[in-house]
Amino acid sequence: HYGGVMVDWTYLRDRDAKALAAERNWIDLQGLKVLVDFRSGLNLFPDYRFTGAHAAEEARSRAAFDKLLRKCAILGAKTVVIRRHRAAMEGSRVAEANSKFMDGLKYFCNKAGTCGVTVRICRDWDNHYDAQALVKGIGATHVKLADSLAAHVRKYSASPVGALSSETGDFWFLGMAGRDPLSSVVNPYAYDRLPLASDPDGVSGAAVARILGARQGVTLVFDAE
C-alpha cells in the first residue's frame, strides 16, 4: 500500500557513497520512491542554515549541502523536503537578512537541480503562506510546495475537510496539529506531527485521506512522530 519511504537527512550523512550505491540496486528493483527530509537539519547550529549572514557557517552549510545532494542522486532520491528555519540572530536588518536567506535558499535549490532532485518547501503551521512565497521567489520548475494537513488545521482552527476540497496541491504531509504531549507550550496548535488517529479537534483522518487520495498524481506522506 506504500510506494515509497521518507528518510531523514542523517541517513545520508551516516553512509558513504559506496553503501548508498549498493542500496540503490534494491531500491530500483522494487520501484521504490525515496524522499529525503532535511527539515530537522535546518536549525542554524549545530547543523545547517540557508542564510549567508555568517560567512563561516554559510560555507560549512553549503559544503554539506553539496555532499548530501550528491548522495541523494547516488541513492536515487528524487525529492528533498525543506522548510524555512528561524531567523539568524546576528543583528542584521530584516530586509538584509531576508535577502541573504534567499541567496542561500537559491544556492541549495540550484544545487539540487543539477543533481536531478526536486525541492519541496513545506508549509509551516505558524505561517500558512510563507512556503508559497518562497516557491514563487525561487521561480524554478523543480522547486514546489509541500502542503500540510496540520497547517490547514492551524489555519481554520477546526476541521479542514471542507476547505481541502478546493485545494489543488499535489504533495501533502499528513500529520495532525495539536499540543505536543512533551511540551509545556500553551498554544493548542503548536505541534504539527501528531498521528492522524489522534484527531485532537475531531478531524477525520480517514475523510482527509479519501479526499486527497482520490486525486490523480497526488503524493501523500504520513508525517507523524
Side-chain angles (χ1 to χ4, degrees):
H1 299 291
Y2 292 87
V5 62
M6 182 170 68
V7 298
D8 193 64
W9 65 276
T10 55
Y11 189 88
L12 302 181
R13 180 200 63 189
D14 296 341
R15 288 162 176 80
D16 63 20
K18 184 177 180 180
L20 294 173
E23 292 186 16
R24 171 74 177 270
N25 182 59
W26 183 88
I27 289 170
D28 289 346
L29 287 172
Q30 301 302 316
L32 187 70
K33 295 180 181 178
V34 179
L35 290 70
V36 180
D37 186 356
F38 276 79
R39 291 175 295 173
S40 69
L42 299 173
N43 52 31
L44 296 182
F45 189 84
D47 297 310
Y48 310 121
R49 61 178 64 200
F50 293 132
T51 179
H54 190 289
E57 288 302 312
E58 174 193 15
R60 185 179 69 86
S61 295
R62 290 190 177 191
F65 292 150
D66 290 351
K67 186 174 182 179
L68 290 167
L69 288 168
R70 286 196 299 269
K71 285 186 174 183
C72 285
I74 294 170
L75 185 63
K78 301 297 185 182
T79 303
V80 299
V81 181
I82 63 173
R83 74 189 322 165
R84 177 188 280 276
H85 56 61
R86 65 183 177 84
M89 301 175 67
E90 292 158 336
S92 298
R93 291 172 295 182
V94 172
E96 181 182 357
N98 287 339
S99 176
K100 289 180 177 179
F101 175 87
M102 286 302 297
D103 287 344
L105 179 59
K106 287 177 181 178
Y107 177 90
F108 179 93
C109 292
N110 289 339
K111 186 65 180 181
T114 63
C115 294
V117 174
T118 294
V119 178
R120 292 280 182 172
I121 303 179
C122 187
R123 196 190 293 277
D124 280 322
W125 66 268
D126 61 343
N127 191 333
H128 196 75
Y129 299 103
D130 187 58
Q132 289 174 299
L134 294 178
V135 170
K136 185 177 180 180
I138 297 298
T141 57
H142 71 286
V143 179
K144 304 176 182 181
L145 180 69
D147 222 322
S148 164
L149 173 61
H152 282 270
V153 172
R154 171 72 167 82
K155 177 183 178 183
Y156 296 108
S157 300
S159 172
V161 172
L164 291 179
S165 299
S166 62
E167 293 291 337
T168 59
D170 65 343
F171 188 106
W172 284 82
F173 279 109
L174 301 185
M176 295 301 300
R179 184 178 292 120
D180 183 352
L182 300 179
S183 171
S184 61
V185 175
V186 175
N187 187 335
Y189 299 106
Y191 191 67
D192 63 356
R193 305 186 76 175
L194 293 176
L196 288 179
S198 65
D199 289 348
D201 291 292
V203 178
S204 170
V208 169
R210 282 195 298 270
I211 291 172
L212 299 177
R215 301 173 184 172
Q216 293 293 324
V218 174
T219 297
L220 302 181
V221 182
F222 289 92
D223 185 41
E225 295 180 341

